[in-house]
């Protein structure tokens, strides 16, 4: 980036120098050309005021100059006098542009180039009172000749300017890139403020993205550590029970009990693996590719029916109360969300408790509400229950087969559908979770 900016600055500078030199040369030549014409006009006016160029003048004419040519032309175009040639042998000048213009308008001028000599001859013609024309001319270097004489100095000037531009471009590049590099090195230091106000929104976005990346990396690291720990517990239990049975340290009467414990830990292990895979899928961008419009109340009733046996085993009653409410979403994900919320409500309930699932619409938005009469969530834990592997009562969660990932999955599904989730809980009285679509 630094090299590219540097080259672009140098390129722009060189182009500006070349264009400036060409424009200045053109301006200089135009001024030079106008000055030559003004000088010729002044000479012609002076000669006219002497009144020596008159057709009835018998005293003769003499004008000696190595640089200025004077030609007197009669009203019929005949050359009456020329200080640089024999007027008797000169052709009629009536058709010369400057002479024609002088006959018509009182004065005229023209420039004729000599390609072989790199010279330009400037002509100025002035009509006199008697109708004759006085013409003065001067030979000067043309534009190419002047340009050739200026090449060495122009080249030296351009070389100096280019070297200066290269030095300045390096300095400007460092001054532009320096703050960005400093910000990149001190990305975590919010006291480092970019010197350019245009960079401040950019720095803010970069720092936010950097913080998000670090947070995501930390979350993945914590998730990996938690998964390893959670998987280790049931595996250790299974290994321990199996080893006791293998070494004959378990009586015949205890085998069913040990087998049941191995099965329970195996089921818990399977649940952990399934929930971990599901979270990984959601983390990797599983979206609402297969969305459809369906009745949320009908889906909730079906989920509740599937969980009634599980609720009975835990001495909990479950019911669905609601009205037909249609939403457009991923049906499987919403079913998964309802199952996780209801499972938690049953698992953390009290004996002879109840779970109620409500479906309806409010202010034009469909909602799903799962409330229970369970143990509730202490206020200090309510902000963290949607974190992965976070449990309010770890011993109860493990006894009931909870993985600590159910509400994390719920949070992902809610985020994917751009919905909102609110939690209202009171310790010892129950919990109410509402998802608004």
């Amino acid at each position: 980036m630094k090299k590219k900016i540097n080259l672009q600055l140098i390129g722009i500078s060189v182009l500006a120098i070349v264009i400036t030199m060409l424009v200045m040369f053109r301006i200089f030549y135009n001024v030079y050309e106008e000055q030559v014409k003004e000088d010729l006009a002044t000479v012609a006016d002076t000669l006219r005021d002497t009144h020596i160029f008159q057709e009835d003048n018998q005293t003769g004419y003499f004008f000696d100059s190595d640089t200025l040519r004077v030609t007197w032309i009669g009203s019929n175009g005949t050359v009456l006098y020329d200080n640089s040639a024999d007027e008797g042998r000169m052709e009629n000048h009536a058709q010369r542009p400057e002479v024609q213009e002088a006959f018509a308008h009182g004065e005229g001028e023209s420039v004729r180039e000599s390609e072989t000599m790199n010279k330009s001859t400037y002509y100025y013609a002035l009509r006199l009172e008697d109708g004759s024309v006085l013409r003065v001319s001067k030979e000067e270097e043309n534009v190419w000749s002047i340009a050739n004489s200026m090449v060495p100095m122009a080249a030296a000037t351009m070389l100096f300017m280019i070297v200066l531009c290269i030095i300045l471009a390096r300095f400007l590049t460092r001054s532009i890139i320096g703050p960005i590099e400093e910000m990149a090195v001190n990305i975590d230091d919010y006291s480092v403020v970019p010197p350019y106000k245009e960079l401040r929104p950019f720095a803010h976005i970069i720092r936010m993205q950097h913080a998000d990346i670090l947070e995501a990396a930390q979350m993945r690291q914590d998730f990996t550590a938690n998964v390893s720990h959670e998987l280790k517990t049931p595996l250790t239990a299974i290994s321990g029970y199996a080893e006791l049975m293998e070494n004959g340290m378990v009586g015949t009467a205890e085998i069913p009990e040990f087998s049941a414990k191995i099965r329970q830990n195996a089921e818990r292990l399977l649940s952990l693996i399934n929930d971990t895979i599901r979270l990984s899928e959601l983390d990797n961008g599983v979206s609402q590719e297969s969305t459809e419009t369906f009745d949320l109340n009908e889906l909730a009733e079906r989920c509740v029916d599937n969980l009634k046996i599980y609720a009975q085993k835990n001495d909990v009653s479950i019911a669905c109360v609601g009205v037909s409410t249609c939403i457009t979403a991923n049906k499987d994900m919403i079913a998964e969300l309802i199952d996780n919320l209801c499972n938690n409500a049953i698992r953390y309930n009290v004996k002879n408790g109840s779970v109620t699932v409500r479906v309806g619409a409010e202010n034009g938005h469909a909602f799903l509400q799962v409330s229970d009469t369970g143990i509730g969530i202490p206020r200090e834990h309510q902000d963290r229950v949607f974190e992965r592997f976070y449990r309010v009562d770890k011993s109860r969660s493990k006894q009931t087969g909870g993985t600590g990932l159910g509400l994390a999955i719920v949070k992902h599904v809610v985020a994917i559908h751009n919905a909102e989730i609110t939690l209202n809980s009171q310790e010892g009285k129950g919990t109410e979770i509402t998802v608004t679509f």
Side-chain angles (χ1 to χ4, degrees), residues 82-307:
D82 191 292
N83 70 332
S84 298
D86 183 1
E87 59 269 17
R89 297 181 179 181
M90 296 177 67
E91 62 182 9
N92 191 287
H93 277 36
Q95 301 303 316
R96 301 294 172 91
E98 66 277 6
V99 176
Q100 285 185 327
E101 193 175 348
F103 281 142
H105 305 291
E107 60 180 357
E109 60 182 37
S110 67
V111 180
R112 287 194 273 281
E113 303 285 343
S114 173
E115 296 181 1
T116 57
M117 299 296 293
N118 282 334
K119 297 284 186 177
S120 294
T121 303
Y122 294 84
Y123 295 91
Y124 179 82
L126 183 66
R127 188 180 64 198
L128 303 179
E129 293 180 358
D130 60 1
S132 62
V133 171
L134 179 65
R135 187 186 73 177
V136 292
S137 62
K138 188 176 184 181
E139 192 176 65
E140 296 287 352
E141 293 182 338
N142 65 10
V143 63
W144 303 114
S145 178
I146 295 174
N148 288 336
S149 64
M150 293 179 64
V151 164
M153 180 175 291
T157 304
M158 287 182 63
L159 182 61
F160 171 75
M161 294 298 293
I162 289 171
V163 172
L164 181 62
C165 287
I166 291 173
I167 296 172
L168 292 176
R170 287 180 174 273
F171 173 76
L172 290 173
T173 301
R174 280 198 297 268
S175 66
I176 293 171
I177 300 298
I180 300 176
E181 292 177 338
E182 183 182 1
M183 185 186 69
V185 173
N186 303 284
I187 191 69
D188 295 321
D189 187 358
Y190 285 81
S191 65
V192 178
V193 180
Y196 314 123
K197 64 179 182 180
E198 293 82 3
L199 280 178
R200 289 170 190 172
F202 172 74
H204 178 67
I205 293 172
I206 292 297
R207 280 171 171 160
M208 286 182 60
Q209 291 178 344
H210 180 66
D212 290 342
I213 291 170
L214 290 178
E215 184 181 356
Q218 185 62 45
M219 287 178 62
R220 289 181 182 274
Q221 185 177 352
D222 293 343
F223 181 63
T224 302
N226 288 330
V227 167
S228 301
H229 175 74
E230 294 291 336
L231 292 177
K232 184 178 180 181
T233 302
L235 284 172
T236 301
I238 291 171
S239 178
Y241 291 133
E243 185 177 359
L244 290 173
M245 294 174 67
E246 181 184 15
N247 294 328
M249 299 176 67
V250 179
T252 305
E254 296 175 319
I255 289 178
E257 180 185 352
F258 275 62
S259 298
K261 290 181 178 180
I262 291 175
R263 178 184 57 78
Q264 289 170 1
N265 279 281
E267 288 176 352
R268 183 163 180 269
L269 183 61
L270 184 61
S271 296
L272 278 168
I273 293 172
N274 287 335
D275 285 351
T276 301
I277 292 172
R278 185 60 180 145
L279 269 177
S280 296
E281 291 175 350
L282 294 171
D283 280 340
N284 290 331
V286 175
S287 61
Q288 307 176 58
E289 293 179 358
S290 57
T291 58
E292 57 182 297
T293 302
F294 58 90
D295 190 337
L296 180 60
N297 186 60
E298 184 181 320
L299 179 63
E301 287 178 347
R302 190 183 312 154
C303 292
V304 167
D305 286 339
N306 293 335
L307 289 169

Side-chain angles (χ1 to χ4, degrees), residues 55-70:
E55 292 190 5
D56 58 351
N57 185 12
Q58 303 299 319
T59 61
Y61 320 98
F62 180 75
F63 191 87
D64 186 18
S65 175
D66 295 333
T67 59
L68 194 68
R69 181 179 180 182
V70 178

Side-chain angles (χ1 to χ4, degrees), residues 35-91:
Q35 185 62 50
V36 172
K37 292 177 181 178
E38 288 180 9
D39 290 345
L40 290 177
T42 301
V43 171
D45 287 338
T46 303
L47 291 175
R48 178 191 60 187
D49 293 340
T50 61
H51 301 290
I52 61 175
F53 291 99
Q54 297 179 5
E55 292 190 5
D56 58 351
N57 185 12
Q58 303 299 319
T59 61
Y61 320 98
F62 180 75
F63 191 87
D64 186 18
S65 175
D66 295 333
T67 59
L68 194 68
R69 181 179 180 182
V70 178
T71 306
W72 183 30
I73 304 163
S75 57
N76 60 356
T78 303
V79 178
L80 302 176
Y81 171 77
D82 191 292
N83 70 332
S84 298
D86 183 1
E87 59 269 17
R89 297 181 179 181
M90 296 177 67
E91 62 182 9

